[in-house]
Amino acid sequence: DVVMTQSPLSLPVTLGQPASISCRSSQSLVYSDSNTYLTWFQQRPGQSPRRLIYKISNRDSGVPDRFSGSGSGTDFTLKISRVEAEDVGVYYCMQGTHWPPTFGQGTKVEIK
Amino acid sequence: EVQLVESGGGLVQPGGSLGLSCAAAGFTFSNFWMHWVRQAPGKGLVWVSRINGDGTITNYAESVKGRFTISRDNAKNTLYLQLNSLEADDTAVYYCACESYDFWGRGTLVTVSS
């Protein structure tokens, strides 16, 4: 299975400051159709996961533009330009290129 | 508005069985693959199983293959997961999710304990 490694696992951030989460895969996530099926999810405390970004950098409807995704191949990043209180939670990357789909361990974002 | 509502979770003894359901609304259910994803208490997300739109193709994680069965009833807009030979490690919240993981239910908790 493809291993997804996130760092850091814990990310204390000051309100209004930027935050960055890294996600690395053990194999390239470029699929035969040239798409890269790398997805980011947010899970707020007590809630279900919510898809934020798909195919590396496509933001879902309703997701604030302070969230952005980037990367290629095996190296990906989720950035929050200015952290707000509602951004507290755990963030997961997931690959859907190789079978079976696999998730990163999660990065817990908290306010300092 | 898309809605996914899981039900059927509960406490079951090791070796026991449980049937989960996921009622879907707000989209053409039969057109989409559906997934089950689980999350053990305080842990991360783990993909469990998926099924195609007409129910003819199913896939499973190795950890549940031979014990869990995914199915669907498109006339009832409902997804199912039958859990057999349950083990303590199966204790988790089980979520159903749409094909591209763009919609998720609230989950149903399965606890395997004697």
Side-chain angles (χ1 to χ4, degrees):
Chain A
D1 295 2
V2 173
V3 177
M4 304 297 287
T5 303
Q6 290 182 229
S7 62
L9 299 184
S10 178
L11 185 54
V13 187
T14 302
L15 286 173
Q17 292 301 301
S20 181
I21 299 170
S22 169
C23 175
R24 290 194 167 128
S25 57
S26 59
Q27 298 178 37
S28 172
L29 299 187
V30 180
Y31 191 55
S32 54
D33 64 3
S34 299
N35 286 309
T36 299
Y37 294 98
L38 187 283
T39 303
W40 288 98
F41 297 93
Q42 174 195 61
Q43 189 174 33
R44 290 170 171 153
Q47 295 189 14
S48 306
R50 169 198 182 195
R51 195 180 76 174
L52 294 178
I53 288 172
Y54 60 97
K55 287 194 279 186
I56 304 178
S57 59
N58 295 274
R59 218 170 21 247
D60 270 277
S61 174
V63 174
D65 61 7
R66 64 179 181 274
F67 289 93
S68 64
S70 63
S72 63
T74 61
D75 233 313
F76 306 93
T77 302
L78 176 70
K79 291 184 178 174
I80 310 174
S81 58
R82 295 173 306 279
V83 172
E84 298 190 6
E86 66 177 17
D87 301 335
V88 164
V90 181
Y91 292 78
Y92 297 92
C93 60
M94 186 203 80
Q95 68 82 21
T97 296
H98 301 280
W99 194 257
T102 48
F103 292 86
Q105 319 96 300
T107 295
K108 186 173 184 178
V109 172
E110 58 184 10
I111 305 302
K112 278 185 190 174
Chain B
E1 180 196 1
V2 172
Q3 286 194 332
L4 298 171
V5 180
E6 301 93 337
S7 60
L11 175 62
V12 61
Q13 293 190 337
S17 298
L18 210 55
L20 307 183
S21 299
C22 168
F27 65 106
T28 307
F29 181 67
S30 59
N31 284 357
F32 295 93
W33 289 77
M34 294 292 295
H35 304 273
W36 287 99
V37 177
R38 69 183 181 183
Q39 185 171 37
K43 302 296 185 183
L45 301 168
V46 178
W47 178 84
V48 173
S49 182
R50 71 170 186 172
I51 187 168
N52 71 337
D54 64 8
T56 56
I57 302 172
T58 59
N59 301 106
Y60 300 92
E62 282 299 320
S63 59
V64 307
K65 199 176 287 186
R67 300 188 300 122
F68 291 8
T69 303
I70 190 171
S71 62
R72 64 193 298 161
D73 184 337
N74 288 340
K76 295 182 178 178
N77 285 348
T78 303
L79 174 72
Y80 302 100
L81 188 67
Q82 178 65 34
L83 289 62
N84 296 333
S85 303
L86 282 161
E87 305 165 354
D89 285 349
D90 296 318
T91 294
V93 174
Y94 285 74
Y95 296 101
C96 62
C98 287
E99 180 171 312
S100 299
Y101 305 93
D102 44 351
F103 295 100
W104 296 61
R106 292 192 168 197
T108 186
L109 176 62
V110 173
T111 303
V112 184
S113 174
S114 54

